[in-house]
Amino acid sequence: MRILILGGTQEAFALAEQLAAAEGIEIISSLAGRTREPRLPKGQVRTGGFGGAEGLARYLREERITHLINATHPFAAGISANAVAATQSAGVPLLRLLRPAWAAHPDDRWISVRDAAEAAALCRREGGRVFLTVGSGELDLFASILNAHFLVRMVDVPDQLPLHDCRVISARGPFSLQDELRLLAEHHIGLLVAKNSGGDATYAKIEAARRMGLPVIMIERPQVAPSHHAVGTVEAVMDWVREMRRQPN
Ligand code: NAP
């Protein structure tokens, strides 16, 4: 088996570590190249876009990839749609590793929105001190908000952010509940904006907001056509790989 893992997440990293230890399996992890010094998993690693669905299909053929595992972030809708189209055209089996979304606890004060644009519109209405955890790609949507102070946390801090009034801190998850409680208190945060990423690594901020009674603008996941098999854990992917190995070529 020669497996391509579309990565950029903690599960993709964990999966590569497990598959690298399995005999008779070659793996290539693919990263988008957004992070300056990414954590590199075991096995071969390639970086950068493929050039759309056609480019990915070409890569699958040229590299003789036998199976594709899409372990990208739940909000990575573009590459996920490309993975579906490319595997259909190249005739390669595809598995989606998609961690379950977080569900609201009775004490949570979530305001669910469809996308980051809707979150920005709500933020503009509320104003105040906001912990903005949407990732660098969507910050532009918050650029014209003048009545809010934003706390932003990123792995790589850019020279400039498109925000009117902000404080940027550099950090890489996972984050503990104690750290998140301290951060929210220190910066006098009154509102959290988050993506419904799911998983444990970034859940502490949601729990901290609940403990402090803070409202959370929760951006729900983009819809990607569910036209392929999906599982929620690295263990379930390993089961799928074992199943695929048992099948005749
Ligand atoms: P996206 O919007 O779905 O992808 C945009 C383009 O980036 C894709 O069309 C593809 O370019 C390239 N790309 C994305 N992931 C790639 C990968 N693993 N390997 C090679 N090329 C990739 O993705 P995104 O939301 O910008 O996320 C980019 C990466 O960051 C993903 O790997 C994702 O797992 C990770 N990430 C995203 C988030 C988030 O909130 N979106 C959070 C944490 C981590 P081509 O069309 O040229 O192939």
Side-chain angles (χ1 to χ4, degrees), residues 4 9 32 36 42 122 127 146 149 182-183 189 191 194 203 205 209 234 245:
L4 176 66
T9 57
R36 275 200 289 269
K42 284 195 189 122
L122 259 181
L146 306 181
H149 168 84
R182 196 176 315 119
L183 187 78
I189 296 300
L191 174 67
Y203 186 67
K205 65 183 178 221
V234 170
R245 278 184 108 171

Side-chain angles (χ1 to χ4, degrees), residues 225-246:
S227 58
H228 51 81
H229 193 36
V231 295
T233 62
V234 170
E235 290 67 36
V237 176
M238 295 302 291
D239 288 342
W240 181 80
V241 170
R242 279 189 278 272
E243 178 62 35
M244 289 287 131
R245 278 184 108 171
R246 277 197 290 271

Side-chain angles (χ1 to χ4, degrees), residues 8 10 27 32 42 61 71 89 102 139-140 143 173 191 193-194 199 203:
Q10 305 221 357
I27 50 163
K42 284 195 189 122
R61 290 193 194 97
S89 115
W102 297 317
L139 290 181
D140 279 342
L191 174 67
V193 182
Y203 186 67

Side-chain angles (χ1 to χ4, degrees), residues 4-10 12 29-35 46-56 70-82 96 99 133-138 195 197:
L4 176 66
I5 303 172
L6 299 174
T9 57
Q10 305 221 357
S29 291
S30 176
L31 303 177
R34 307 271 199 279
T35 309
R46 67 159 303 282
T47 304
F50 297 93
E54 300 77 27
L56 179 55
N70 175 14
T72 59
H73 192 268
F75 281 76
I79 188 75
S80 296
N82 291 352
R96 175 65 164 130
R99 49 173 111 124
T133 62
V134 293
S136 55
E138 274 111 351
K195 287 175 167 174
S197 299

Side-chain angles (χ1 to χ4, degrees), residues 3-236:
I3 302 178
L4 176 66
I5 303 172
L6 299 174
T9 57
Q10 305 221 357
E11 307 86 278
F13 185 92
L15 178 64
E17 298 282 302
Q18 288 206 28
L19 285 174
E23 242 174 73
I25 297 179
E26 288 177 52
I27 50 163
I28 305 174
S29 291
S30 176
L31 303 177
R34 307 271 199 279
T35 309
R36 275 200 289 269
E37 287 176 25
R39 261 192 341 142
L40 295 179
K42 284 195 189 122
Q44 204 178 317
V45 177
R46 67 159 303 282
T47 304
F50 297 93
E54 300 77 27
L56 179 55
R58 200 177 318 115
Y59 182 91
L60 295 176
R61 290 193 194 97
E62 285 175 2
E63 289 292 328
R64 302 179 325 282
I65 300 297
T66 60
H67 298 80
L68 178 63
I69 298 170
N70 175 14
T72 59
H73 192 268
F75 281 76
I79 188 75
S80 296
N82 291 352
V84 174
T87 47
Q88 277 168 1
S89 115
V92 167
L94 168 67
L95 181 69
R96 175 65 164 130
L97 170 53
L98 186 66
R99 49 173 111 124
W102 297 317
H105 182 276
D107 295 335
D108 279 329
R109 295 177 57 201
W110 289 8
I111 308 153
S112 286
V113 296
R114 241 175 333 192
D115 52 30
E118 217 176 289
L122 259 181
C123 241
R124 187 189 311 279
R125 206 181 69 194
E126 298 297 318
R129 298 184 67 85
V130 182
F131 184 23
L132 183 59
T133 62
V134 293
S136 55
E138 274 111 351
L139 290 181
D140 279 342
L141 294 164
F142 298 79
S144 59
I145 300 179
L146 306 181
N147 58 338
H149 168 84
F150 291 106
L151 173 66
V152 181
R153 180 169 60 195
M154 311 175 110
V155 176
D156 297 320
V157 176
D159 293 337
Q160 255 197 326
L161 281 189
L163 297 171
H164 175 70
D165 175 13
C166 68
R167 169 86 189 272
V168 192
I169 51 175
S170 166
R172 195 194 292 258
F175 303 103
S176 74
L177 177 61
Q178 288 316 313
D179 288 346
E180 299 296 52
L181 285 168
R182 196 176 315 119
L183 187 78
L184 294 179
E186 249 172 38
H187 293 269
H188 307 286
I189 296 300
L191 174 67
L192 170 65
V193 182
K195 287 175 167 174
N196 195 334
S197 299
D200 298 335
T202 59
Y203 186 67
K205 65 183 178 221
I206 306 297
E207 205 176 336
R210 179 191 311 143
R211 297 241 184 143
M212 294 172 75
L214 298 181
V216 178
I217 297 178
M218 184 63 80
I219 306 170
E220 295 305 342
R221 295 174 170 199
Q223 296 298 318
V224 177
S227 58
H228 51 81
H229 193 36
V231 295
T233 62
V234 170
E235 290 67 36

